[in-house]
Amino acid sequence: MPAPAWLIEGFAEFLATVEFGEDGSWTYGKPASHRGAELRYFDDAQIERLLSWPDGERRLIAGFYGWSWGLTHMLYTAPDRGARISAYIERLSAGEKPLPAARAVFGDLRQLERQLERHVRGDIEYGVSSETFPWSQDVALSTLPVAEGRMLELHLRRMGGHKLEDTRDDLAAFAQAGALSADAYAEMAMAEMWLEEREREKYKEEHEDDDAVEDKEMGGPYFVAAEAAADRALALDASHLRANIVKGRILSHRLYEDGNTDGEAWAQARRHFQIANRTDPTNAEALYRFARSYAREGREGPMMHDAYLAAFKRAPQTRAFRIGLAYDLARLGRHDDGIALLQMLANDPHFPKPGRRAIERIEAMRESGTKFPDLSDIDEDFEPDDDEDDDKDDDKE
């Protein structure tokens, strides 16, 4: 659903004031008092900017979160109970621009702005439940064995990404202790991959103004260490889910950056994703990596679209899965469907660049008639990329 930025954040603020009583009763729609200072001291609602943000310049709107809450609250507590929001989103889904869609649904925008300002400064009505909220006090607890508890701790540390070198070293020590060694080596491989990616991004930042310097390939010491750790995990457990995904990623990335067109080499890399899928048919990443390997090889493969679609359905909140499926819809000639799938990302209040960049690439595919987008300057994976850091600097008046 291509919800606009004001509704994404406004709805979050709308739900933030829900309260639950000990008797199971609940309230919704109470004032967002934590946004009161924004609404009291900043300028008016700037309704046109609010409805169309983020714009191309992505300048921050004073009181954006407060006014987003106010507009959402006003529309959801109106007699039509949010029907105009639904009508507005339907127009956005059909490809209409935010301001024309808003005028068609909400009418005169200056009048809407005046209504909004009166609403947030007036008495805020809220709802009280007519029945209790269902809940259960039956909670099952279990204690993990010591080795599994330690492995979980290391996994969470690795996912957090802080002091990765220390976590990598602790994983190595844990693996050598002999308990859950395959899991530990697979986590080591992931840690090394992240370290390699960070090294690559650092290199790009240092040479961003130097046109003569080519992009740094993923082939440094961390990359080599990642493959060695994955191999050690696979030597202990040839069907290990995470180790096969990492090994397949390494092989396919190396082939992609080398421009290798050897079909058998690509099939060998893809085989690791297939093993991972057999180990856990519900794992979305294995499906996504399998499908994406064909795109990186530059050819259309059997079950490619089905794998993209299955990965997306299992984890639609994952940005890479959504972008991958959108590109594949464009490959099939369904460019508008792909763009529609990306509108939610393009409207993201915090990180709209990945979605907008993907839309630009689909438009380029449509214009050129190509089957695959140019991915030479990006690897859409799960690790945070430089877009997210860049946007912090963009949010300035």
Side-chain angles (χ1 to χ4, degrees), residues 364-377:
M365 291 169 67
R366 191 204 311 259
E367 184 176 345
S368 64
T370 56
K371 292 284 188 179
F372 301 103
D374 176 17
L375 297 177
S376 59
D377 63 336

Side-chain angles (χ1 to χ4, degrees), residues 255-291:
L255 292 169
Y256 177 73
E257 291 207 327
D258 290 345
N260 195 315
T261 58
D262 183 349
E264 180 53 39
W266 278 101
Q268 179 61 43
R270 196 172 295 120
R271 206 162 289 133
H272 287 283
F273 302 136
Q274 294 170 310
I275 294 171
N277 177 251
R278 286 196 296 271
T279 299
D280 181 4
T282 67
N283 185 272
E285 186 181 358
L287 291 163
Y288 166 77
R289 298 289 178 189
F290 169 80

Side-chain angles (χ1 to χ4, degrees), residues 205-363:
E205 291 175 3
E206 292 173 348
H207 297 86
E208 62 181 350
D209 297 326
D210 191 345
D211 296 333
V213 177
E214 297 181 357
D215 284 347
K216 180 180 176 65
E217 296 184 355
M218 287 187 77
Y222 293 123
F223 199 68
V224 173
E227 185 169 21
D231 287 340
R232 295 190 73 170
L234 292 173
L236 294 167
D237 180 0
S239 63
H240 195 281
L241 172 69
R242 176 58 59 186
N244 272 292
I245 290 177
V246 173
K247 180 68 174 181
R249 282 183 63 185
I250 291 169
L251 294 178
S252 59
H253 197 93
R254 185 178 292 134
L255 292 169
Y256 177 73
E257 291 207 327
D258 290 345
N260 195 315
T261 58
D262 183 349
E264 180 53 39
W266 278 101
Q268 179 61 43
R270 196 172 295 120
R271 206 162 289 133
H272 287 283
F273 302 136
Q274 294 170 310
I275 294 171
N277 177 251
R278 286 196 296 271
T279 299
D280 181 4
T282 67
N283 185 272
E285 186 181 358
L287 291 163
Y288 166 77
R289 298 289 178 189
F290 169 80
R292 191 167 184 266
S293 68
Y294 283 110
R296 304 193 91 191
E297 186 182 357
R299 75 180 183 92
E300 300 175 284
M303 303 299 292
M304 182 179 177
H305 180 70
D306 291 342
Y308 269 131
L309 184 60
F312 172 73
K313 286 184 175 180
R314 288 170 184 171
Q317 73 278 9
T318 302
R319 185 176 71 191
F321 298 169
R322 183 177 292 268
I323 292 176
L325 178 58
Y327 285 154
D328 201 57
L329 289 169
R331 173 183 69 87
L332 298 173
R334 298 167 57 186
H335 299 88
D336 289 338
D337 290 339
I339 290 172
L341 197 67
L342 294 168
Q343 289 297 340
M344 188 189 79
L345 296 182
N347 291 340
D348 189 310
H350 303 290
F351 313 125
K353 284 186 180 179
R356 294 183 175 194
R357 177 177 54 201
I359 289 174
E360 291 173 357
R361 287 182 170 169
I362 288 180
E363 294 290 9

Side-chain angles (χ1 to χ4, degrees), residues 20-25 132-139:
F20 299 94
E22 292 184 2
D23 60 353
S25 64
T132 60
F133 193 85
W135 62 285
S136 173
Q137 60 184 355
D138 295 330
V139 179

Side-chain angles (χ1 to χ4, degrees), residues 371-389:
K371 292 284 188 179
F372 301 103
D374 176 17
L375 297 177
S376 59
D377 63 336
I378 186 170
D379 181 24
E380 255 123 22
D381 285 324
F382 298 89
E383 296 80 1
D385 58 30
D386 57 350
D387 291 308
E388 301 184 0
D389 293 331

Side-chain angles (χ1 to χ4, degrees), residues 45-324:
Q46 307 175 69
I47 193 68
E48 292 194 3
R49 286 188 63 195
L50 184 67
L51 290 169
S52 58
W53 194 86
D55 56 19
E57 298 178 1
R58 294 206 72 243
R59 294 177 302 160
L60 185 64
I61 299 175
F64 171 75
Y65 290 92
W67 289 115
S68 294
W69 163 78
L71 184 56
T72 303
H73 188 283
M74 183 179 76
L75 293 172
Y76 271 124
T77 56
D80 65 11
R81 289 289 187 256
R84 285 182 293 172
I85 289 180
S86 298
Y88 182 58
I89 291 176
E90 286 179 6
R91 286 181 172 270
L92 296 180
S93 299
E96 197 166 348
K97 298 297 182 182
L99 290 182
R103 292 188 179 97
V105 174
F106 302 128
D108 181 82
L109 296 185
R110 285 298 301 167
Q111 182 178 347
L112 179 69
E113 182 175 85
R114 289 191 291 270
Q115 291 174 345
L116 173 58
E117 291 172 354
R118 287 196 300 269
H119 180 81
V120 301
R121 294 184 173 113
D123 294 330
I124 299 297
E125 297 181 359
Y126 61 90
V128 182
S129 64
S130 58
E131 56 187 54
T132 60
F133 193 85
W135 62 285
S136 173
Q137 60 184 355
D138 295 330
V139 179
L141 298 176
S142 60
T143 302
L144 288 176
V146 174
E148 291 184 16
R150 176 61 171 162
M151 187 68 254
L152 178 59
E153 175 198 349
L154 292 168
H155 167 74
L156 293 175
R157 281 175 53 191
R158 195 271 300 171
M159 290 292 292
H162 182 59
K163 295 184 178 180
L164 271 177
E165 293 89 346
D166 293 344
T167 301
R168 183 259 329 268
D169 294 342
D170 288 345
L171 281 164
F174 182 74
Q176 291 167 7
L180 302 175
S181 293
D183 292 345
Y185 282 124
E187 289 288 336
M188 276 181 63
M190 285 300 300
E192 299 285 7
M193 290 281 280
W194 282 26
L195 288 166
E196 174 73 16
E197 184 64 27
R198 288 183 178 181
E199 190 72 16
R200 191 183 195 191
E201 291 302 323
K202 181 180 177 182
Y203 178 88
K204 287 181 179 179
E205 291 175 3
E206 292 173 348
H207 297 86
E208 62 181 350
D209 297 326
D210 191 345
D211 296 333
V213 177
E214 297 181 357
D215 284 347
K216 180 180 176 65
E217 296 184 355
M218 287 187 77
Y222 293 123
F223 199 68
V224 173
E227 185 169 21
D231 287 340
R232 295 190 73 170
L234 292 173
L236 294 167
D237 180 0
S239 63
H240 195 281
L241 172 69
R242 176 58 59 186
N244 272 292
I245 290 177
V246 173
K247 180 68 174 181
R249 282 183 63 185
I250 291 169
L251 294 178
S252 59
H253 197 93
R254 185 178 292 134
L255 292 169
Y256 177 73
E257 291 207 327
D258 290 345
N260 195 315
T261 58
D262 183 349
E264 180 53 39
W266 278 101
Q268 179 61 43
R270 196 172 295 120
R271 206 162 289 133
H272 287 283
F273 302 136
Q274 294 170 310
I275 294 171
N277 177 251
R278 286 196 296 271
T279 299
D280 181 4
T282 67
N283 185 272
E285 186 181 358
L287 291 163
Y288 166 77
R289 298 289 178 189
F290 169 80
R292 191 167 184 266
S293 68
Y294 283 110
R296 304 193 91 191
E297 186 182 357
R299 75 180 183 92
E300 300 175 284
M303 303 299 292
M304 182 179 177
H305 180 70
D306 291 342
Y308 269 131
L309 184 60
F312 172 73
K313 286 184 175 180
R314 288 170 184 171
Q317 73 278 9
T318 302
R319 185 176 71 191
F321 298 169
R322 183 177 292 268
I323 292 176

